[in-house]
Amino acid sequence: MAAANELLQEGLVKKVLVVPPASLKYQWKNEIEKFSDYHAIVIDGTAAKRKKQYLSFQQGDFSFCVAGYETVRGDIDLIKDIPFDCIVLDEAHRIKNRKTQLYKALIQLQPQYRFALTGTPMQNRPDEIFALMSWIEPEVLGKVSAFRKEHIVVGEKYGRRFIDLGYKKLDTIREKISSRMVR
């Protein structure tokens, strides 16, 4: 929130989308309005109501739009043309799988600034950090095929071919992403 607030104050952005878990939407709104001079609108309710809320966000005095992950996924056709300058993902590990509809929806949004907040950037596999970084800054880890070739050990197991057997060069991943992470 502080980074988005700073970008707003510097005039670098006008419209910010915050995507938290649904249970935290109103908490985000309250925190934004408590700690900044900006107003936030929470997207909630029926499809017709949400459509009106998006329109109010675009035309109104709102700098922050707060919508849960499921809402963004379901409303992607409504919001993909809204000119969000900045997107903040809270609990961003929710997009750790590039094959999910949620990831595919969020990748359609093309803000200039992106923030991914998570306490668990990689739980089990390097592919998870690749998904997060490919949303944040795709150039950092490159193309998925090159990434997999460099960091995933593939082989045969139990009669199945092309199975992920292990990982390698994890220190290289850490080096590439370290300047983009705050602990």
Side-chain angles (χ1 to χ4, degrees):
M1 183 180 70
N5 185 54
E6 184 72 22
L7 291 170
L8 282 160
Q9 289 194 356
E10 290 180 16
L12 297 172
V13 301
K14 291 182 178 151
K15 298 292 185 180
V16 178
L17 173 63
V18 178
V19 185
S23 63
L24 299 176
K25 290 184 301 193
Y26 289 95
Q27 181 178 343
W28 266 94
K29 177 187 180 350
N30 292 340
E31 299 288 322
I32 289 165
E33 293 179 350
K34 180 178 179 180
F35 293 108
S36 79
D37 296 329
Y38 299 102
H39 298 289
I41 185 170
V42 173
I43 307 300
D44 212 354
T46 66
K49 185 177 177 184
R50 292 191 316 270
K51 190 173 183 176
K52 288 179 185 176
Q53 291 166 339
Y54 290 123
L55 190 58
S56 292
F57 170 71
Q58 286 183 273
Q59 297 173 348
D61 189 30
F62 298 104
S63 297
F64 287 90
C65 175
V66 182
Y69 282 99
E70 292 76 17
T71 301
V72 169
R73 184 192 67 220
D75 291 349
I76 192 62
D77 289 334
L78 281 174
I79 65 173
K80 65 184 174 187
D81 295 324
I82 295 176
F84 296 111
D85 304 306
C86 177
I87 297 180
V88 178
L89 301 182
D90 186 11
E91 301 294 341
H93 57 272
R94 301 264 319 258
I95 65 164
K96 67 184 181 181
N97 184 342
R98 295 178 321 106
K99 296 177 183 174
T100 64
Q101 297 223 345
L102 175 60
Y103 180 89
K104 291 174 183 176
L106 284 166
I107 207 75
Q108 292 180 56
L109 304 176
Q110 295 295 312
Q112 183 175 358
Y113 298 94
R114 301 163 193 233
F115 297 97
L117 312 174
T118 181
T120 53
M122 185 173 80
Q123 293 177 332
N124 299 309
R125 303 181 356 246
D127 286 340
E128 295 173 359
I129 197 71
F130 181 86
L132 282 169
M133 287 307 300
S134 68
W135 181 80
I136 296 167
E137 194 174 350
E139 312 80 47
V140 172
L141 295 177
K143 302 277 186 202
V144 68
S145 56
F147 177 84
R148 287 188 56 77
K149 187 175 183 178
E150 184 175 355
H151 299 290
I152 310 295
V153 177
V154 178
E156 186 174 326
K157 188 174 182 179
Y158 305 120
R160 294 178 51 205
R161 296 172 23 162
F162 309 111
I163 301 296
D164 293 355
L165 299 176
Y167 314 110
K168 57 187 178 182
K169 300 183 182 177
L170 298 179
D171 56 328
T172 305
I173 297 171
R174 189 177 306 111
E175 288 171 16
K176 289 179 180 178
I177 67 172
S178 66
S179 66
R180 285 141 181 100
M181 294 183 72
V182 177
R183 288 184 162 286

